[in-house]
């Protein structure tokens, strides 16, 4: 996959001619043969905010004196639950990415991921209405990649074009190598995340504590 994709596919230039961008542009498969395309600046920012929110909840839970004495246990638990719920959502937002793996293109969203066999890829084109990148299958189904287009990151490094070009080359390389002959069809599955799910579980616990305190009160 690496040879077909990166030696024949990404010869065009993306972004300014700086050494930093040249190194960033050099995507390589990991040990599993997968190539992950993600806006790592957004990933770092969202996960950083999520960790800050979780730390704030931890401080609030351990030391109630940080809030005004008039704030009761119910209100404090509700605040913790609300903050953890937002932290879970922010973490899930950081999961948005595209994974190119042997014979498949996988788009990870906030809640679900879509597995598209390369044999089902008909074309990748720009949506005439919204302008976003759309993958169309041979059966007429469409997969939207709007989250990967037209962002601030593109001013420095044309990630939108890299993502589109890489997916086209990956599908073409899989077809020529024979990996795309057998198709299981397009699949949509729920995306599990250890970080996001733990934060959501914490929000549920604090919500239960708030209800328990309200009943006792």
């Amino acid at each position: 996959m690496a040879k077909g994709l990166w030696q024949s596919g990404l010869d065009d230039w993306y972004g300014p001619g700086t050494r930093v961008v040249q190194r960033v542009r050099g995507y390589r498969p990991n040990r599993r043969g997968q190539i992950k395309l993600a806006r790592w600046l957004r990933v770092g920012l969202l996960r950083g905010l999520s960790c800050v929110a979780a730390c704030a909840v931890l401080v609030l839970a351990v030391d109630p004196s940080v809030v005004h004495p008039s704030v009761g246990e119910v209100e404090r638990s509700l605040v913790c639950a609300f903050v953890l719920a937002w932290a879970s959502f922010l973490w899930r937002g950081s999961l948005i990415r595209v994974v190119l793996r042997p014979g498949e293109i996988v788009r990870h969203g906030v809640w679900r991921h879509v597995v598209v066999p390369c044999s089902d890829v008909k074309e990748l084109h720009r949506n005439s209405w919204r302008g976003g990148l759309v993958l169309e299958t041979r059966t007429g189904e469409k997969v939207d990649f709007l989250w990967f287009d037209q962002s601030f990151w593109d001013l420095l490094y044309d990630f939108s074009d890299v993502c589109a070009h890489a997916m086209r080359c990956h599908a073409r390389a899989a077809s020529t190598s024979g990996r795309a002959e057998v198709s299981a069809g397009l699949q949509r599955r729920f995306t599990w995340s250890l970080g996001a799910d733990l934060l959501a579980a914490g929000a549920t616990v604090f919500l239960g504590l708030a209800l328990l305190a309200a009943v006792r009160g």
Side-chain angles (χ1 to χ4, degrees):
M1 182 184 71
K3 181 178 180 180
L5 177 58
W6 300 112
Q7 291 187 5
S8 64
L10 292 180
D11 293 331
D12 295 336
W13 175 248
Y14 303 96
T18 63
R19 293 183 179 180
V20 174
V21 174
Q22 289 176 358
R23 292 184 64 85
V24 171
R25 178 178 174 268
Y27 288 99
R28 292 294 182 271
N30 58 21
R31 295 179 179 178
R32 297 181 178 179
Q34 301 176 348
I35 297 172
K36 295 183 180 180
L37 302 173
R39 299 189 189 278
W40 298 110
L41 182 63
R42 179 173 62 193
V43 172
L45 178 62
L46 291 179
R47 293 193 178 184
L49 291 174
S50 182
C51 290
V52 169
C55 291
V57 169
L58 182 62
V59 171
L60 184 60
V62 173
D63 187 9
S65 63
V66 298
V67 297
H68 196 274
S70 61
V71 177
E73 184 178 353
V74 176
E75 291 82 2
R76 185 161 53 87
S77 297
L78 286 176
V79 169
C80 290
F82 179 78
V83 173
L84 282 180
W86 266 106
S88 176
F89 181 76
L90 290 176
W91 192 280
R92 283 199 164 275
S94 71
L95 301 176
I96 297 174
R97 65 188 185 276
V98 176
V99 178
L100 309 180
R101 60 193 192 192
E104 295 177 334
I105 297 174
V106 186
R107 186 209 67 179
H108 288 266
V110 177
W111 304 107
R112 295 191 304 174
H113 64 275
V114 182
V115 181
V116 184
C118 290
S119 59
D120 287 355
V121 177
K122 180 181 178 182
E123 63 175 338
L124 282 134
H125 59 86
R126 296 287 173 182
N127 187 298
S128 58
W129 177 47
R130 289 188 294 177
L133 182 65
V134 175
L135 185 154
E136 186 174 349
T137 67
R138 301 185 189 280
T139 58
E141 295 184 87
K142 294 182 179 180
V143 181
D144 195 342
F145 292 86
L146 186 63
W147 283 96
F148 295 92
D149 278 353
Q150 302 173 2
S151 73
F152 176 78
W153 186 236
D154 285 338
L155 297 177
L156 174 65
Y157 172 47
D158 298 333
F159 181 81
S160 300
D161 291 335
V162 171
C163 184
H165 197 176
M167 285 192 288
R168 290 190 183 100
C169 295
H170 179 62
R172 184 169 60 249
S175 299
T176 56
S177 65
R179 288 175 175 165
E181 292 181 356
V182 180
S183 171
L186 189 146
Q187 302 174 27
R188 290 182 170 88
R189 304 171 183 172
F190 181 77
T191 299
W192 297 98
S193 169
L194 180 62
D197 293 341
L198 285 176
L199 291 171
T204 304
V205 169
F206 276 105
L207 183 60
L209 293 175
L211 292 176
L212 183 62
V215 171
R216 289 180 175 179

